[in-house]
Amino acid sequence: MRLLPPALSTPMFPVMRRRWFAAWLLAPLLAGSAAAQLQPPQQQQQQPLSLASDPAVLAKAALGAERGTLVIGLLRNGKASYGAAYNPEPLSPPRPIEPNSAEQPMFEIGSVTKVFTGLLLAQAVERGDLKLDDTVGKVLAGKVQGVPSAAAAVTLKQLVTHTGCMPVMADGVTGGAPLAEQLRSFDKPMFWAALSRIKLTALAAPCEAAYSNFGMALLGQLLAERYNTSWGELVRARITEPLGMNDTVIPLGDKASRMAPAFAGDRRQPLLDMIAYAPASALRSTAADMMTFSRAVLAGASGPLGPAAARMLTPLARYDGAEIGYAVMVRGPEGGRRTYWHAGLTEGYRTLWLIAPDTGEALIVLSSNARAPLQPVMLAIGKNRYPVSTTEVPVDPKRLEDYKGEYRISKTKALGFTVRNGRLLVRETGRGYNALTPTGTDRFAVATIGAQIVFQRGAGNAVVGVTLAQGGSQLEGRRVGDAVAVPQE
């Protein structure tokens, strides 16, 4: 179990990662990389889906045949609209969901909570109360003892961008029941004790970005210590109350009956309550509240959140072929069409939050089933916002031999290419092959998922590398071993 963002992933539990992160934004939604997105979607839609689609149609596609409730909120042309899907369907047709209705169901938003923690840091930096290069040790000076020197040297910027070499969880926990138990059981004393024995993933920060629930929870607790309050109170005082987000809470109180019953497949799941890990995944909310939040962020510095709204979207580091701001995932080129998002996954809920400032659009997907197949919807949106050419260009089958081999993306990720029956095929480590469509010189596409693969040549015209672009992200891979030199034609 893991709170990954990370491709639309964002998500929480590593045991679900391969099954979930097969589409744009969710592979990552999505901690995922573009390389993890090379599997075709499980479902094909008859009509193209996009942010312009009817939210009820999107909701049905995103819930599929899984049990539970799924609500989608869309903001387009300044107007918010909502659609819902239910399995099983209620006895009578569901009524339209009104934004201010007490009937709006509530959901755990999982790791989308991290966006709120990022915004709190952006606010603190704007106020001059903290700096991005302030360290863990500096903020905790005189408050928490026994912090290892390597951990004490980690900066707030590194925590909010997952580059602080922090493990996924404390004490070597990476998934399964121990992860859920740690999320539920850790109170503040237990959390500080865990920090005193924390082991970074490298000798010292920064590291290549790697998703860390512990690191984001630590950031939230540092903010709470700085202001001598709780993280939850900071969220209430500085975000939800000023914006009128009355249904975005941690303790449910009299709102408990409004929580959509949670599932993982056909199995009912409990709610995930937490204390010390609250800054990583504790918030519950509604589609209407998240639309209010989206409007405030889209309004930028002139909106109700002030300059912090613009600051939180500022890219601070590279993250899986793209970028990350204040805990906000960033896709798309600088100065071009950019998409900002985060995904969430708990034991019984799956969530996506996405904004597109260039078009003024926003999307919130709230599902009460951890296995809701959001992939077709997210994939369609990614293909729509970042289209690639899929027009086939004839290629000499003999030239396909140039590309055969393995291309290393990272220590754990590689792409393998082979030729069968006159077609070039690609696979990610541990997966099956997918056929590529030639679209130009050294250029191919995986048409079903909107991915583009471009090979690079070096000395002697040998193929030495590959670039994989999909949904606004771009990953580079170097050929393993010697490339074969091919004479120029």
Side-chain angles (χ1 to χ4, degrees), residues 38-61:
L38 287 176
Q39 293 298 309
Q42 297 174 357
Q43 302 178 5
Q44 297 293 330
Q45 302 298 324
Q46 296 301 313
Q47 298 294 328
L49 299 174
S50 73
L51 292 176
S53 297
D54 183 332
V57 173
L58 291 175
K60 287 183 179 293

Side-chain angles (χ1 to χ4, degrees), residues 70-280:
L70 189 144
V71 177
I72 280 183
L74 277 174
L75 180 66
R76 296 191 71 245
N77 300 319
K79 296 182 62 176
S81 58
Y82 302 89
Y86 308 88
N87 283 328
E89 290 285 351
L91 295 178
S92 59
R95 290 172 292 177
I97 297 177
E98 299 297 332
N100 298 320
S101 170
E103 296 179 359
Q104 279 247 345
M106 298 183 67
F107 302 79
E108 291 178 350
I109 66 171
S111 285
V112 178
T113 298
K114 291 178 171 68
V115 175
F116 289 75
T117 299
L119 175 56
L120 288 175
L121 176 60
Q123 291 174 330
V125 173
E126 282 293 331
R127 290 167 177 250
D129 295 339
L130 289 169
K131 298 178 180 178
L132 284 176
D133 59 1
D134 285 343
T135 64
V136 171
K138 179 178 179 179
V139 178
L140 292 180
K143 296 186 175 184
V144 177
Q145 305 300 318
V147 181
S149 58
V154 174
T155 68
L156 302 184
K157 177 181 177 181
Q158 291 161 356
L159 289 178
V160 83
T161 59
H162 298 290
T163 58
C165 310
M166 289 288 170
V168 177
M169 303 289 288
D171 301 326
V173 169
T174 57
L179 186 149
E181 175 60 26
Q182 187 174 121
L183 289 171
R184 285 192 169 93
S185 65
F186 268 36
D187 57 17
K188 291 283 283 291
M190 294 171 70
F191 189 85
W192 296 132
L195 178 61
S196 72
R197 57 181 182 268
I198 202 73
K199 295 185 183 301
L200 300 188
T201 59
L203 293 178
C207 288
E208 180 179 349
Y211 203 82
S212 173
N213 295 319
F214 184 85
M216 194 60 64
L218 175 57
L219 174 61
Q221 298 303 343
L222 293 176
L223 290 164
E225 290 295 324
R226 171 62 181 79
Y227 294 109
N228 296 310
T229 186
S230 68
W231 177 85
E233 175 59 20
L234 278 178
V235 171
R236 184 200 65 77
R238 298 193 174 178
I239 303 175
T240 59
E241 187 172 280
L243 295 181
M245 297 171 62
N246 299 321
D247 286 335
T248 302
V249 298
I250 301 176
L252 286 166
D254 60 4
K255 301 178 189 292
S257 63
R258 292 174 54 196
M259 288 294 293
F263 296 89
D266 291 331
R267 297 183 61 182
R268 284 293 301 270
Q269 295 294 321
L271 298 182
L272 186 58
D273 295 308
M274 58 193 76
I275 304 172
Y277 272 98

Side-chain angles (χ1 to χ4, degrees), residues 399 401-403 457 459-463 479 483-489:
R399 297 302 302 269
E401 298 291 326
D402 295 4
Y403 312 116
R457 295 181 181 268
N461 201 34
V463 175
R479 194 167 191 166
V484 178
V486 180
Q488 292 276 9
E489 291 186 348

Side-chain angles (χ1 to χ4, degrees), residues 187-390:
D187 57 17
K188 291 283 283 291
M190 294 171 70
F191 189 85
W192 296 132
L195 178 61
S196 72
R197 57 181 182 268
I198 202 73
K199 295 185 183 301
L200 300 188
T201 59
L203 293 178
C207 288
E208 180 179 349
Y211 203 82
S212 173
N213 295 319
F214 184 85
M216 194 60 64
L218 175 57
L219 174 61
Q221 298 303 343
L222 293 176
L223 290 164
E225 290 295 324
R226 171 62 181 79
Y227 294 109
N228 296 310
T229 186
S230 68
W231 177 85
E233 175 59 20
L234 278 178
V235 171
R236 184 200 65 77
R238 298 193 174 178
I239 303 175
T240 59
E241 187 172 280
L243 295 181
M245 297 171 62
N246 299 321
D247 286 335
T248 302
V249 298
I250 301 176
L252 286 166
D254 60 4
K255 301 178 189 292
S257 63
R258 292 174 54 196
M259 288 294 293
F263 296 89
D266 291 331
R267 297 183 61 182
R268 284 293 301 270
Q269 295 294 321
L271 298 182
L272 186 58
D273 295 308
M274 58 193 76
I275 304 172
Y277 272 98
S281 192
L283 288 175
R284 286 81 181 246
S285 191
T286 64
D289 263 19
M290 292 305 297
M291 277 292 103
T292 297
F293 180 73
S294 300
R295 286 181 185 272
V297 177
L298 285 170
S302 62
L305 292 172
R311 176 179 287 277
M312 73 180 289
L313 303 182
T314 304
L316 297 175
R318 297 292 299 171
Y319 191 99
D320 274 328
E323 294 177 292
I324 183 171
Y326 285 70
V328 178
M329 305 301 169
V330 184
R331 289 283 178 103
E334 182 178 359
R337 169 165 283 195
R338 280 195 154 168
T339 306
Y340 302 86
W341 60 273
H342 209 294
L345 179 67
T346 64
E347 290 177 300
Y349 297 88
R350 175 157 278 160
T351 309
L352 171 72
W353 171 76
L354 177 152
I355 61 173
D358 61 300
T359 59
E361 294 172 306
L363 169 74
I364 180 69
V365 182
L366 299 172
S367 168
S368 72
N369 196 312
R371 297 182 183 175
L374 307 195
Q375 296 96 319
V377 173
M378 299 309 107
L379 184 62
I381 291 172
K383 290 169 66 176
N384 179 267
R385 283 187 60 75
Y386 302 98
V388 301
S389 173
T390 57

Side-chain angles (χ1 to χ4, degrees), residues 463-478:
V463 175
V464 296
V466 67
T467 298
L468 170 62
Q470 184 194 16
S473 71
Q474 183 169 295
L475 290 173
E476 305 289 337
R478 304 306 299 171

